[in-house]
Amino acid sequence: MPGLTDPVDRSLVDALHGDFPLIERPFAAVGERLDLDERDVIARIRALLDDGTLTRFGPLFDAGRLGGAYTLAAMAVPPEAFDRMAQIVNAFPEVAHNYARDHRLNLWFVLATPAPEDVDAAIVRIEAATGLPVLSFPKEREYFVELKLPA
Amino acid sequence: MSAAGDHDALDRAIVRATQAGLPLVPRPWEAVASAVGASPSLVTERLRAMLSSGAIRRIGAVPNHWRLGWTANGMSVWDVDDAKVDELGQRVGALPGVTHCYRRPRRLPAWRYNLFAMVHGRDRTEVEAQVAAIAGVLGGASRAHEVLYSTRILKKTGLRFA
């Protein structure tokens, strides 16, 4: 299958999906399960982060449960201005994720803010910075969230 | 300050110290503890509490699924009868290929869709098969749908609180 070719990296990424131990030497414990030593585990994670296979390693926080808020937002960006507008949007620290999609609404991003009222304020600032309207789609109900795809 | 208030301040400090990633050192929780000025046992206790409250979804690796070969990512959006969307949303969310499933507001006239189901595949054919499975669950309750494929990941840092 496509993706990770190194079988050790593949089992490491699978093993690191969740449940990273809250103990003194967690990398050593992960390594024990995979027959790797602690230094090797750390070096492999560092390499996977450096080459972009992993975007992050650590706790995944839920802004909503931390007293903050999220929304999914979308913009219709003229194609000739796309890269410039994407850069402007990306520069906002509130923008956690940003994707180009093939649709009239071609820029879709997630805003995460420490307080609920900050979401609307961020949208106003993004509209001012880009000169384009932003549609906001806050979640009303969550049916399922679990991104676990085999490596 | 109340005990809950103390926890709140410490939790925020832990968020700030770890949101960009854990220190890649043999004793990462000790490193976090010294960054926030608390003992390692208090830090791991707060992390456990945040895991059980759901403030932390999980502790682990966030892969770039594109790099792992999951290059087709379709956000399928559906205009579902409001009276049925909650019951059907649960069933769509339970389908194996659906990684995220939410009800969101319509923005008429620009946007008629109220159910969002994210589908990943190794190619668009796999995504299309998943979308067909969703259509099967929704049946006549869905009046229209579209699939918005991602063409580029422009940013994927996750949340950053100041």
Side-chain angles (χ1 to χ4, degrees), chain A residues 10 26 29 39 41 44 52 56 67 82 102 123 127-128 134:
Chain A
R10 200 184 304 166
R39 258 199 314 199
V41 170
R44 282 173 184 270
R56 220 165 65 76
F82 190 86
D102 60 352
I123 287 174
E127 287 184 327
V134 172

Side-chain angles (χ1 to χ4, degrees), chain B residues 80-151:
Chain B
V80 180
D81 184 343
D82 288 323
K84 296 182 181 156
V85 65
D86 286 338
E87 185 239 322
L88 291 169
Q90 295 286 354
R91 289 173 51 202
V92 168
L95 291 172
V98 175
T99 56
H100 300 65
C101 187
Y102 298 103
R103 190 182 83 210
R104 299 184 186 277
R106 296 188 175 85
R107 299 297 184 205
L108 297 169
W111 187 260
R112 65 187 293 184
Y113 307 105
N114 59 339
L115 183 70
F116 289 58
M118 198 66 82
V119 179
H120 291 265
R122 278 164 290 222
D123 53 43
R124 289 197 181 189
T125 312
E126 284 189 9
V127 172
E128 283 156 18
Q130 298 286 354
V131 170
I134 297 171
V137 167
L138 295 176
S142 170
R143 290 167 291 235
H145 78 275
E146 290 188 70
V147 182
L148 284 68
Y149 286 98
S150 69
T151 50

Side-chain angles (χ1 to χ4, degrees), chain B residues 6-93:
Chain B
D6 288 344
H7 282 166
D8 215 47
L10 178 56
D11 290 357
R12 292 273 172 155
I14 293 172
V15 172
R16 284 193 300 271
T18 59
Q19 60 190 356
L22 273 189
L24 296 176
V25 296
R27 293 177 173 81
W29 306 122
E30 268 187 40
V32 172
S34 46
V36 302
S39 70
S41 63
L42 182 56
V43 165
T44 51
E45 183 194 311
R46 292 313 305 154
L47 288 162
R48 263 185 211 99
M50 285 194 273
L51 275 165
S52 49
S53 75
I56 296 177
R57 288 183 183 276
R58 61 185 174 89
I59 301 175
V62 183
N64 176 338
H65 34 255
W66 191 284
R67 289 293 190 95
L68 296 183
W70 299 89
T71 52
N73 157 242
M75 184 174 74
S76 71
V77 294
W78 308 77
D79 176 5
V80 180
D81 184 343
D82 288 323
K84 296 182 181 156
V85 65
D86 286 338
E87 185 239 322
L88 291 169
Q90 295 286 354
R91 289 173 51 202
V92 168

Side-chain angles (χ1 to χ4, degrees), chain A residues 51-133:
Chain A
D51 76 8
T53 303
L54 300 180
T55 58
R56 220 165 65 76
F57 177 75
L60 256 85
F61 295 101
D62 181 332
R65 299 284 175 92
L66 290 168
Y70 284 108
T71 195
L72 174 66
M75 289 167 59
V77 180
E80 65 280 7
F82 190 86
D83 287 346
R84 198 162 53 84
M85 293 298 167
Q87 270 186 5
I88 293 173
V89 171
N90 281 353
F92 282 81
E94 296 89 346
V95 174
H97 299 162
N98 191 8
Y99 289 85
R101 295 192 181 277
D102 60 352
H103 191 268
R104 194 184 65 81
L105 290 169
N106 51 0
L107 191 70
W108 287 80
F109 49 97
V110 173
L111 294 169
T113 64
E117 60 273 19
D118 299 343
V119 167
D120 288 342
I123 287 174
V124 168
R125 284 186 289 119
I126 291 171
E127 287 184 327
T130 59
L132 295 169

